[in-house]
Amino acid sequence: MTALRAAGRHRRAIEAVAELLAKLRLESIFVGNVARAAWLGSEIASGSVDVIALMGPQQKEQVAMMASNRGFRVEREEIEASEELDLVPLNYVDAEGDVRVHVLVASNALYSHMVRGGRESQLGERVLRVAAPEDLALMLAVAEDAESLHDREMLIRLPEFNRHAYNSRLASIGLGGMVVPE
């Protein structure tokens, strides 16, 4: 199990998101900065908190409603604007400043597979699930910015990284040209 480090408001935001999704009994994984920190050892001190959750369209409203009752700011216009994106945009409100939160609905087989393949990570006493290194590398591979590509290369070098599984996922979604030597 990997250990996570997060500063102040980001730590509180991650814990609040984990608690919210647990109360709703939604399977989920943290991706983005949280998963990067879990696998690459950085501290989460900036950026958004991104999560992929298994849920149906009707549960999106539940997430937004319950979040608004648990210290998150929910902007109705943002929820409506993100309807086609299968995304629930939230803001964790904190005295040190807000933290942007994106809850992505696992609306396809690839995201569902990622959620089910999540790995445990620990933030203090709380156990969280983060994207497997192969799934995080897949997300970073399509990002195309220099930092993401660098982090993808770092993930590929981890001893627990499964190159075969990574290459199979790339091929299954039509990105066979991005496979890495095994």
Side-chain angles (χ1 to χ4, degrees), residues 47-149:
S48 62
V49 172
D50 303 315
V51 183
I52 299 175
L54 291 177
M55 69 176 105
Q58 71 283 3
Q59 291 169 301
K60 284 176 63 175
E61 276 299 314
Q62 287 180 308
V63 170
M65 182 182 67
M66 199 165 180
S68 67
N69 295 326
R70 294 183 160 276
F72 291 85
R73 188 176 70 252
V74 179
E75 305 286 343
R76 250 326 119 198
E77 303 81 35
E78 288 183 353
I79 298 286
E80 290 169 10
S82 67
E83 189 68 31
E84 291 183 25
L85 299 175
D86 280 333
L87 176 75
V88 183
L90 306 169
N91 293 287
Y92 175 75
V93 179
D94 189 88
E96 291 180 25
D98 291 3
V99 176
R100 186 69 167 165
V101 176
H102 304 108
V103 181
L104 180 65
V105 178
S107 58
N108 62 42
L110 178 62
Y111 287 148
S112 296
H113 178 75
M114 286 180 178
V115 170
R116 294 209 165 91
R119 308 279 176 78
E120 289 186 345
S121 187
Q122 191 150 358
L123 178 64
E125 297 298 314
R126 183 179 296 275
V127 175
L128 307 171
R129 291 178 45 81
V130 298
E134 301 80 19
D135 293 327
L136 180 58
L138 177 70
M139 289 183 260
L140 294 173
V142 297
E144 296 182 353
D145 65 281
E147 182 182 1
S148 294
L149 296 176

Side-chain angles (χ1 to χ4, degrees), residues 4-51:
L4 277 166
R5 295 179 302 122
R9 66 188 172 119
H10 281 81
R11 180 188 188 102
R12 292 185 291 277
I14 293 164
E15 290 173 339
V17 169
E19 182 180 321
L20 170 68
L21 297 176
K23 291 280 186 203
L24 289 166
R25 297 186 177 149
L26 296 174
E27 277 187 80
S28 62
I29 56 169
F30 285 86
V31 294
N33 292 335
V34 178
R36 281 181 180 187
W39 293 111
L40 301 176
S42 57
E43 180 179 50
I44 307 155
S46 64
S48 62
V49 172
D50 303 315
V51 183

